[in-house]
Amino acid sequence: MWDKIIYVFMITVATYILKQLFSETPNYVKFQSKFLVFYIWASIVALFLMPFFVFTPKNVKNSLFGSQIIKHVTKLIEVKWHLRNGKVLSEDRGAVIISNHQSSIDILGMFNVWHVAVKIAAVARKELFYVWPFGLAAYLAGVVFIDRNNSKDAYKTLKATSEVMIKNKTKIWLFPEGTRNKNFTSLLPFKKGAFNIAVAAQVPIIPVIISPYYFINTKKYIFNKGHVIMQCLEPIPTTGLTMDDVPQLKDRVQNIMELAYKELSKEVLSLLPPNYPLVGQD
């Protein structure tokens, strides 16, 4: 009796999901499936690579290798990434990369340009570590996990990482907004952590602007094909600056990135048809 009920239930659910996936109209199942494909693929790759990462734990070369495999999922979710002024990232030196934060797929953007910079240590919130197997593989691949609720411990972790950055000419990648921002016209106020690290290590800051994800509309459950531009701005030196200069440096960099983001947004959105379903439109 119960086995038949369970069987019918499973068939019903499977039929509903397939119907939603192949529907021509946007829906919750189709929307979430794009993210799910990314998460599942990243977890499979992480599970496969972990045994290899154990032999060279916390080596940034592990991240480079893993990113070059995971990035191909971009083709399945139909998002193309285009890097501008990539020569800035390719310079063999320690630096702090900062970029705007819009979605969990930001990490796919990083994966698609990782081979240009080669040596990158990404910074992530500690909660991600517990999303296994991806979190454990990321730890073994050199990702730095910080507790955003404990600024002192977070700073100590980043300071230790900055010493490795200088010694091994590694770039640290952070999102100074601290949380996701879906505004196409402005950035959220920057936090000081990335700038403290750059000044303390006396390394340049490399701003990377990620164009708006116009093809994602969370309110209408839309995840269309999309094209993303990642634009590297010229490095901003910190040589000779002290911690007293951090607030002014932070504001100056935010202004530079804000202007660049607005211009990039204008460029990308101007190419869309007038009735394109952008976030916030009814």
Side-chain angles (χ1 to χ4, degrees):
M1 177 66 178
W2 281 107
D3 58 333
K4 292 182 179 179
I5 294 176
I6 294 174
Y7 179 73
V8 171
F9 175 75
M10 291 177 64
I11 292 296
T12 303
V13 171
T15 302
Y16 172 77
I17 291 175
L18 287 173
K19 183 180 179 181
Q20 295 297 302
L21 288 175
F22 289 99
S23 172
E24 294 183 0
T25 58
N27 59 71
Y28 181 79
V29 174
K30 284 180 64 176
F31 177 77
Q32 292 296 343
S33 67
K34 290 288 188 84
F35 293 100
L36 193 60
V37 166
F38 167 41
Y39 301 151
I40 291 175
W41 176 241
S43 297
I44 291 173
V45 173
L47 196 61
F48 175 76
L49 292 179
M50 267 195 297
F52 300 97
F53 289 173
V54 168
F55 293 103
T56 54
K58 306 202 74 173
N59 189 324
V60 294
K61 290 184 179 179
N62 293 339
S63 292
L64 174 63
F65 184 67
S67 68
Q68 297 312 290
I69 299 176
I70 295 177
K71 73 176 185 180
H72 294 294
V73 76
T74 297
K75 298 172 185 176
L76 292 178
I77 64 174
E78 300 179 294
V79 177
K80 294 182 179 180
W81 304 85
H82 175 66
L83 178 64
R84 289 180 178 173
N85 199 26
K87 63 181 181 180
V88 174
L89 288 180
S90 64
E91 295 179 4
D92 187 24
R93 62 178 175 182
V96 173
I97 303 172
I98 59 174
S99 59
N100 52 307
H101 188 25
Q102 303 174 75
S103 165
S104 58
I105 68 168
D106 289 342
I107 191 172
L108 267 180
M110 294 171 61
F111 287 166
N112 275 268
V113 302
W114 209 291
H115 64 285
V116 178
V118 181
K119 292 183 289 185
I120 296 178
V123 177
R125 51 191 175 86
K126 73 170 187 177
E127 289 81 4
L128 183 62
F129 172 75
Y130 300 103
V131 182
W132 286 23
F134 182 78
L136 180 57
Y139 172 79
L140 293 172
V143 172
V144 180
F145 294 98
I146 60 172
D147 184 356
R148 290 178 179 173
N149 297 320
N150 190 327
S151 57
K152 289 184 178 180
D153 283 352
Y155 180 72
K156 287 180 181 178
T157 302
L158 288 175
K159 187 176 181 181
T161 304
S162 69
E163 293 173 0
V164 176
M165 170 182 64
I166 298 171
K167 181 180 178 181
N168 298 336
K169 296 183 179 180
T170 300
K171 297 176 178 65
I172 299 178
W173 195 315
L174 301 101
F175 298 95
E177 289 175 291
T179 189
R180 298 174 189 177
N181 178 22
K182 302 183 186 303
N183 192 322
F184 289 175
T185 59
S186 63
L187 304 179
L188 297 175
F190 285 179
K191 300 183 183 301
K192 294 190 297 184
F195 304 93
N196 285 334
I197 295 301
V199 170
Q202 295 287 281
V203 297
I205 295 170
I206 302 177
V208 176
I209 307 296
I210 304 174
S211 64
Y213 298 149
Y214 62 88
F215 47 90
I216 298 178
N217 189 323
T218 54
K219 293 182 179 179
K220 297 183 178 181
Y221 301 132
I222 294 173
F223 195 140
N224 293 327
K225 295 180 181 179
H227 176 241
V228 184
I229 299 172
M230 300 184 70
Q231 181 170 327
C232 298
L233 305 184
E234 291 303 311
I236 299 171
T238 62
T239 306
L241 298 183
T242 67
M243 288 301 171
D244 292 335
D245 299 310
V246 166
Q248 184 178 359
L249 174 66
K250 176 180 70 69
D251 292 341
R252 180 163 67 90
V253 174
Q254 170 136 20
N255 289 336
I256 292 172
M257 291 183 67
E258 189 112 40
L259 288 173
Y261 180 65
K262 288 179 180 179
E263 288 299 316
L264 198 56
S265 297
K266 188 184 301 181
E267 175 187 343
V268 171
L269 300 183
S270 66
L271 301 175
L272 300 176
N275 60 342
Y276 197 92
L278 296 171
V279 175
Q281 289 185 346
D282 296 325

Short mmCIF file of all heavy atoms in Angstrom, two decimals, residues 259-281:
data_model
loop_
_atom_site.label_atom_id
_atom_site.label_comp_id
_atom_site.label_asym_id
_atom_site.label_seq_id
_atom_site.Cartn_x
_atom_site.Cartn_y
_atom_site.Cartn_z
N LEU A 259 31.88 55.08 -10.34
CA LEU A 259 31.78 55.71 -11.66
C LEU A 259 31.93 54.66 -12.77
O LEU A 259 31.19 54.67 -13.75
CB LEU A 259 32.85 56.80 -11.80
CG LEU A 259 32.64 58.07 -10.99
CD1 LEU A 259 33.86 58.99 -11.09
CD2 LEU A 259 31.40 58.82 -11.49
N ALA A 260 32.91 53.78 -12.60
CA ALA A 260 33.14 52.74 -13.61
C ALA A 260 31.95 51.79 -13.70
O ALA A 260 31.56 51.36 -14.79
CB ALA A 260 34.42 51.97 -13.28
N TYR A 261 31.36 51.49 -12.55
CA TYR A 261 30.20 50.57 -12.52
C TYR A 261 29.00 51.18 -13.23
O TYR A 261 28.30 50.51 -13.98
CB TYR A 261 29.86 50.23 -11.07
CG TYR A 261 28.68 49.29 -10.93
CD1 TYR A 261 28.74 47.98 -11.40
CD2 TYR A 261 27.50 49.71 -10.31
CE1 TYR A 261 27.67 47.12 -11.26
CE2 TYR A 261 26.42 48.85 -10.17
CZ TYR A 261 26.51 47.55 -10.64
OH TYR A 261 25.45 46.70 -10.51
N LYS A 262 28.79 52.47 -13.01
CA LYS A 262 27.67 53.16 -13.66
C LYS A 262 27.85 53.18 -15.17
O LYS A 262 26.90 52.97 -15.92
CB LYS A 262 27.55 54.58 -13.11
CG LYS A 262 27.03 54.65 -11.69
CD LYS A 262 26.94 56.09 -11.19
CE LYS A 262 26.41 56.15 -9.77
NZ LYS A 262 26.35 57.54 -9.26
N GLU A 263 29.08 53.43 -15.61
CA GLU A 263 29.36 53.46 -17.05
C GLU A 263 29.18 52.08 -17.67
O GLU A 263 28.61 51.94 -18.76
CB GLU A 263 30.79 53.96 -17.30
CG GLU A 263 30.98 55.45 -17.04
CD GLU A 263 30.10 56.31 -17.94
OE1 GLU A 263 30.02 56.02 -19.15
OE2 GLU A 263 29.49 57.25 -17.41
N LEU A 264 29.65 51.06 -16.97
CA LEU A 264 29.53 49.69 -17.47
C LEU A 264 28.06 49.26 -17.49
O LEU A 264 27.61 48.59 -18.43
CB LEU A 264 30.35 48.74 -16.59
CG LEU A 264 30.70 47.37 -17.18
CD1 LEU A 264 31.42 47.52 -18.51
CD2 LEU A 264 31.57 46.58 -16.19
N SER A 265 27.33 49.65 -16.47
CA SER A 265 25.89 49.34 -16.41
C SER A 265 25.16 49.99 -17.57
O SER A 265 24.32 49.36 -18.23
CB SER A 265 25.29 49.83 -15.09
OG SER A 265 25.87 49.18 -13.99
N LYS A 266 25.49 51.25 -17.82
CA LYS A 266 24.85 51.98 -18.91
C LYS A 266 25.14 51.30 -20.25
O LYS A 266 24.25 51.16 -21.10
CB LYS A 266 25.36 53.42 -18.93
CG LYS A 266 24.62 54.34 -19.91
CD LYS A 266 25.25 55.72 -19.94
CE LYS A 266 25.26 56.38 -18.58
NZ LYS A 266 25.86 57.74 -18.63
N GLU A 267 26.39 50.87 -20.43
CA GLU A 267 26.78 50.20 -21.67
C GLU A 267 26.01 48.90 -21.87
O GLU A 267 25.46 48.64 -22.95
CB GLU A 267 28.29 49.90 -21.64
CG GLU A 267 28.76 49.10 -22.84
CD GLU A 267 30.22 48.67 -22.69
OE1 GLU A 267 30.94 49.23 -21.84
OE2 GLU A 267 30.61 47.73 -23.42
N VAL A 268 25.95 48.08 -20.83
CA VAL A 268 25.31 46.77 -20.93
C VAL A 268 23.80 46.90 -21.09
O VAL A 268 23.19 46.24 -21.95
CB VAL A 268 25.64 45.91 -19.69
CG1 VAL A 268 24.80 44.63 -19.67
CG2 VAL A 268 27.12 45.56 -19.65
N LEU A 269 23.18 47.75 -20.29
CA LEU A 269 21.72 47.87 -20.30
C LEU A 269 21.21 48.56 -21.56
O LEU A 269 20.08 48.33 -21.99
CB LEU A 269 21.24 48.62 -19.06
CG LEU A 269 21.60 47.98 -17.71
CD1 LEU A 269 21.01 48.80 -16.56
CD2 LEU A 269 21.11 46.55 -17.63
N SER A 270 22.05 49.40 -22.18
CA SER A 270 21.62 50.12 -23.39
C SER A 270 21.42 49.17 -24.57
O SER A 270 20.74 49.52 -25.54
CB SER A 270 22.64 51.20 -23.76
OG SER A 270 23.88 50.60 -24.14
N LEU A 271 22.02 48.00 -24.50
CA LEU A 271 21.92 47.03 -25.59
C LEU A 271 20.68 46.14 -25.48
O LEU A 271 20.39 45.35 -26.38
CB LEU A 271 23.17 46.14 -25.62
CG LEU A 271 24.51 46.87 -25.80
CD1 LEU A 271 25.66 45.89 -25.69
CD2 LEU A 271 24.55 47.58 -27.15
N LEU A 272 19.95 46.26 -24.37
CA LEU A 272 18.78 45.41 -24.15
C LEU A 272 17.53 46.03 -24.76
O LEU A 272 17.43 47.24 -24.88
CB LEU A 272 18.56 45.21 -22.64
CG LEU A 272 19.70 44.56 -21.86
CD1 LEU A 272 19.36 44.52 -20.37
CD2 LEU A 272 20.00 43.17 -22.38
N PRO A 273 16.56 45.20 -25.14
CA PRO A 273 15.30 45.74 -25.65
C PRO A 273 14.55 46.50 -24.56
O PRO A 273 14.74 46.20 -23.37
CB PRO A 273 14.52 44.47 -26.08
CG PRO A 273 15.17 43.35 -25.34
CD PRO A 273 16.61 43.73 -25.18
N PRO A 274 13.73 47.46 -24.92
CA PRO A 274 13.03 48.31 -23.93
C PRO A 274 12.19 47.54 -22.92
O PRO A 274 12.03 47.97 -21.79
CB PRO A 274 12.14 49.20 -24.81
CG PRO A 274 12.81 49.20 -26.15
CD PRO A 274 13.42 47.84 -26.30
N ASN A 275 11.65 46.40 -23.34
CA ASN A 275 10.75 45.65 -22.46
C ASN A 275 11.46 44.51 -21.71
O ASN A 275 10.81 43.60 -21.21
CB ASN A 275 9.59 45.07 -23.27
CG ASN A 275 10.07 44.12 -24.37
OD1 ASN A 275 11.24 44.14 -24.75
ND2 ASN A 275 9.17 43.29 -24.87
N TYR A 276 12.81 44.55 -21.65
CA TYR A 276 13.53 43.48 -20.98
C TYR A 276 13.16 43.46 -19.49
O TYR A 276 13.15 44.51 -18.84
CB TYR A 276 15.04 43.65 -21.13
CG TYR A 276 15.82 42.39 -20.83
CD1 TYR A 276 16.13 41.49 -21.84
CD2 TYR A 276 16.19 42.07 -19.54
CE1 TYR A 276 16.82 40.32 -21.59
CE2 TYR A 276 16.87 40.91 -19.26
CZ TYR A 276 17.19 40.02 -20.28
OH TYR A 276 17.87 38.85 -20.01
N PRO A 277 12.87 42.29 -18.91
CA PRO A 277 12.39 42.20 -17.51
C PRO A 277 13.51 42.36 -16.49
O PRO A 277 13.96 41.39 -15.87
CB PRO A 277 11.79 40.80 -17.46
CG PRO A 277 12.59 40.01 -18.44
CD PRO A 277 12.88 40.97 -19.57
N LEU A 278 13.95 43.58 -16.28
CA LEU A 278 15.00 43.83 -15.29
C LEU A 278 14.42 43.78 -13.88
O LEU A 278 13.22 43.97 -13.67
CB LEU A 278 15.62 45.21 -15.53
CG LEU A 278 16.36 45.40 -16.86
CD1 LEU A 278 16.73 46.88 -17.04
CD2 LEU A 278 17.61 44.54 -16.88
N VAL A 279 15.29 43.52 -12.92
CA VAL A 279 14.88 43.49 -11.52
C VAL A 279 14.29 44.85 -11.15
O VAL A 279 14.86 45.91 -11.45
CB VAL A 279 16.06 43.18 -10.60
CG1 VAL A 279 15.66 43.29 -9.14
CG2 VAL A 279 16.59 41.78 -10.88
N GLY A 280 13.15 44.84 -10.49
CA GLY A 280 12.52 46.09 -10.06
C GLY A 280 11.45 46.57 -11.00
O GLY A 280 10.66 47.44 -10.66
N GLN A 281 11.41 45.99 -12.22
CA GLN A 281 10.38 46.39 -13.18
C GLN A 281 9.13 45.56 -12.94
O GLN A 281 9.18 44.38 -12.60
CB GLN A 281 10.87 46.16 -14.61
CG GLN A 281 11.94 47.13 -15.05
CD GLN A 281 12.30 46.93 -16.50
OE1 GLN A 281 11.95 45.94 -17.11
NE2 GLN A 281 13.00 47.90 -17.07
#
